[in-house]
């Protein structure tokens, strides 16, 4: 136990002074206090807030020099890559731009206009040409398109025959009659033909309407005739539901979208 210096009261519970606050005995080395440097000269504390030694950095001119050098190298590399790509890929051929021809403002010569009108008139069928609606063929006249030669027989009202052919046939609607038309067709082509597919018979009434409805099961149906070769002949009937009295004309068409010719119902 340390004997207090003279003049100080003795208190065993007095606080112990911090190290360094009491001078050491004569000849003793001083005791380092909290915060004093440890480890001798040159020691730097590492706790927060302590001053750090200055760092050596690049000067401004050195930074600029490095940036300039890097940019030059990058540009050189980019040019090299671009040149290699251009050598590998073929250059595209530019599409020429054509000049649009303007229509001539000069009027056509009168002679050329008249010649064109004459040619158009010659190409168009005349209104009085045979087989047209204004000048139909008489029924029974043979006609041909080079592949088929066809003759239409006299059309007739045929409900009694149709009813006898199949009792399940329905009667024609009121104001309508079933007309049978006999057809004789000879195939003239180099390959083969089907009459029921290549030939179409229809009726054009005086009301300017076309009628194509069938009549059910009919006797001697042309559809029952099979494929024909050159020179083969098909005979059979077609039937169309027409207005009562069959006031109008019959038409025959050959092929898909072929020409249509007109026939009268009687001589």
């Amino acid at each position: 136990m340390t004997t207090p210096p003279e003049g100080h009261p003795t208190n065993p519970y007095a606080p112990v002074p911090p190290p360094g606050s009491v001078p050491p005995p004569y000849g003793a080395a001083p005791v380092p206090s909290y915060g004093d440097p440890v480890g001798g000269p040159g020691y730097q504390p590492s706790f927060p807030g302590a001053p750090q030694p200055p760092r050596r950095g690049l000067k401004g001119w050195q930074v600029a020099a490095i940036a300039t050098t890097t940019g030059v190298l990058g540009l050189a590399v980019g040019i090299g890559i671009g040149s290699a790509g251009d050598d590998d890929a073929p250059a595209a051929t530019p599409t020429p731009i054509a000049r649009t021809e303007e229509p001539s403002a000069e009027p056509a010569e009168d002679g050329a206009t008249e010649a064109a009108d004459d040619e158009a008139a010659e190409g168009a069928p005349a209104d009085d040409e045979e087989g047209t609606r204004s000048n139909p063929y008489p029924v029974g006249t043979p006609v041909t398109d080079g592949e088929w030669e066809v003759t239409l027989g006299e059309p007739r009202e045929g409900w009694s025959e149709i009813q006898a052919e199949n009792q399940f046939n329905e009667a024609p609607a009121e104001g309508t009659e079933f007309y049978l038309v006999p057809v004789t067709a000879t195939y003239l082509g180099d390959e083969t033909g089907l009459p029921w597919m290549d030939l179409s018979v229809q009726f054009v009434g005086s009301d300017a309407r076309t009628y194509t409805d069938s009549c059910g099961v009919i006797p001697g149906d042309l559809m029952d005739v099979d494929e024909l070769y050159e020179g083969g002949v098909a005979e059979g009937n077609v039937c169309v539901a027409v207005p009562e009295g069959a006031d109008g004309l019959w038409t025959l068409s050959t092929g898909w979208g072929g020409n249509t010719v007109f026939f009268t119902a009687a001589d």
Side-chain angles (χ1 to χ4, degrees):
M1 179 174 177
T2 304
T3 303
E6 295 180 3
H8 289 272
T10 301
N11 184 1
Y13 299 101
V16 179
S21 62
V22 178
Y26 180 78
V31 179
S33 61
Y34 179 79
D36 289 342
V38 179
Y43 174 79
Q44 297 296 331
S46 59
F47 51 84
Q52 301 294 326
R55 296 182 180 178
R56 287 180 172 271
L58 297 176
K59 296 182 180 299
W61 66 271
Q62 293 175 322
V63 175
I66 294 174
T68 303
T69 303
T70 304
V72 171
L73 291 176
L75 178 60
V77 173
I79 293 174
I81 294 175
S83 300
D86 293 339
D87 293 340
D88 296 337
T93 303
T95 302
I97 300 177
R99 181 174 63 88
T100 303
E101 296 291 339
E102 298 180 359
S104 175
E106 298 179 3
E109 296 181 3
D110 294 341
T113 303
E114 292 177 358
D117 293 342
D118 293 342
E119 292 178 0
E122 292 177 0
D127 292 341
D128 59 351
E129 184 180 351
E130 274 194 307
T132 60
R133 187 180 176 193
S134 59
N135 187 19
Y137 288 118
V139 166
T141 303
V143 294
T144 181
D145 65 349
E147 188 172 5
W148 288 95
E149 181 180 284
V150 184
T151 302
L152 298 186
E154 182 69 31
R156 64 185 186 276
E157 194 281 319
W159 168 235
S160 59
E161 299 176 57
I162 295 171
Q163 187 178 26
E165 181 69 17
N166 190 313
Q167 60 178 341
F168 297 105
N169 282 328
E170 295 184 1
E174 184 177 357
T176 302
E177 293 180 322
F178 289 161
Y179 264 66
L180 293 170
V181 183
V183 177
T184 301
T186 303
Y187 182 69
L188 307 176
D190 298 331
E191 299 179 358
T192 61
L194 284 171
W196 62 268
M197 179 178 291
D198 296 340
L199 307 178
S200 176
V201 178
Q202 300 177 353
F203 182 80
V204 178
S206 58
D207 56 359
R209 290 181 54 187
T210 299
Y211 295 85
T212 61
D213 289 346
S214 59
C215 313
V217 180
I218 64 175
D221 197 338
L222 186 66
M223 293 188 66
D224 294 337
V225 180
D226 293 329
E227 192 172 22
L228 298 178
Y229 285 85
E230 183 180 1
V233 178
E235 293 182 343
N237 295 320
V238 297
C239 184
V240 183
V242 301
E244 188 174 358
D247 183 13
L249 301 175
W250 294 91
T251 65
L252 170 67
S253 301
T254 58
W256 295 102
N259 294 328
T260 299
V261 291
F262 291 79
F263 297 86
T264 59
D267 294 338

